[in-house]
Amino acid sequence: MYKLYNVKTWGSLAPHCVLEELGVPYQNIWMTGDQVRDPKFKEISPLGFVPVLGLPDGRPIVESAAIIAFLTDAYPEKKLAPAPGENDHAEYLSWLVFMSVNLYQMISISYAPAMLADTEPEQKTVSRRAAENTNAIFDMIEARLAKEGPFILGDRFSAADIYLFMLSLWARPSEAEHLARCPHIAKVSAAVRARPKLKAALEAHGVMEPGGYGA
């Protein structure tokens, strides 16, 4: 059985939703920020990051996009991603990695200075520029959805849409303003929230309704 080390509204949210959507057995281990920062947790996650997915043989894997790609490849019959080897699967992986490397990281940079008690002016500038770059990337995804949507892979819903939903929760200045500015991304978020298998997980994270993050 898998073990998911999970913090509410953190990067473990998308893997949590994918596990629920796949309907595979797993143990959900809720954690707090303090528990994640405990040095003992680094025995599981060397950098002290979540999510961590414990494999049935005991090995941990990290990085939300990698966890999602692994899970959807492990259960191709669930059709939450194109089958490995298909051209569509290459596109699916490309978008997962693109969002992880570019969008996720830029969002993290935009929030980091705000978490510090004493923030230098240069850090505030970095945060502002990161927020601007975040919106530019969201705009790029919005344009793709407008042209080739309604989902990341066209007519096909996939785990990449769940990943986009998670990132949209963290948009600045707020999810509500982000979704109003990006109506096609808003449709993806609404589609994720409408999936019956995800209701319990989204409620547990407090994001079943728009604006739940940070409330």
Side-chain angles (χ1 to χ4, degrees):
M1 181 182 293
Y2 300 117
K3 291 182 179 179
L4 179 67
Y5 294 83
N6 196 353
V7 179
K8 292 182 179 181
T9 73
W10 285 26
S12 51
L13 188 155
H16 187 186
C17 287
V18 168
L19 284 164
E20 286 291 315
E21 189 70 35
L22 291 173
V24 298
Y26 73 98
Q27 179 186 0
N28 185 45
I29 302 173
W30 286 117
M31 302 185 71
T32 65
D34 287 341
Q35 289 173 321
V36 170
R37 288 183 284 270
D38 191 309
K40 292 182 179 179
F41 185 61
K42 290 189 177 181
E43 297 175 8
I44 300 171
S45 176
L47 292 178
F49 291 162
V50 293
V52 177
L53 184 72
L55 301 178
D57 66 4
R59 284 181 290 176
I61 60 173
V62 297
E63 298 295 340
S64 56
I67 290 170
I68 289 170
F70 163 74
L71 289 171
T72 55
D73 283 1
Y75 301 92
E77 73 280 4
K78 301 293 185 178
K79 300 187 183 303
L80 201 52
E86 293 181 357
N87 289 343
D88 286 348
H89 187 262
E91 188 173 30
Y92 163 72
L93 291 179
S94 177
W95 276 103
L96 272 182
V97 174
F98 172 81
M99 289 190 288
S100 173
V101 172
N102 295 283
L103 191 49
Y104 195 139
Q105 296 306 316
M106 199 58 63
I107 290 171
S108 297
I109 293 170
S110 75
Y111 272 99
M115 298 176 183
L116 303 175
D118 297 314
T119 303
E120 297 294 331
E122 310 88 74
Q123 293 175 314
K124 290 182 179 179
T125 299
V126 169
S127 177
R128 185 183 69 254
R129 289 177 178 171
E132 292 170 353
N133 290 338
T134 296
N135 285 337
I137 298 170
F138 273 129
D139 288 344
M140 185 186 307
I141 297 173
E142 172 71 11
R144 174 186 170 81
L145 293 172
K147 183 178 179 181
E148 302 184 42
F151 301 115
I152 290 289
L153 298 181
D155 292 333
R156 179 174 186 168
F157 180 85
S158 73
D161 299 298
I162 295 174
Y163 200 73
L164 175 59
F165 164 78
M166 178 182 74
L167 298 177
S168 292
L169 295 172
W170 308 331
R172 302 187 72 176
S174 70
E175 182 197 10
E177 291 182 55
H178 162 65
L179 296 183
R181 189 173 59 84
C182 299
H184 292 89
I185 294 178
K187 290 179 182 178
V188 171
S189 292
V192 171
R193 287 185 163 109
R195 296 185 76 82
K197 290 182 179 180
L198 300 186
K199 184 174 186 293
L202 295 178
E203 287 181 342
H205 284 272
V207 295
M208 188 61 195
E209 299 298 329
Y213 172 73

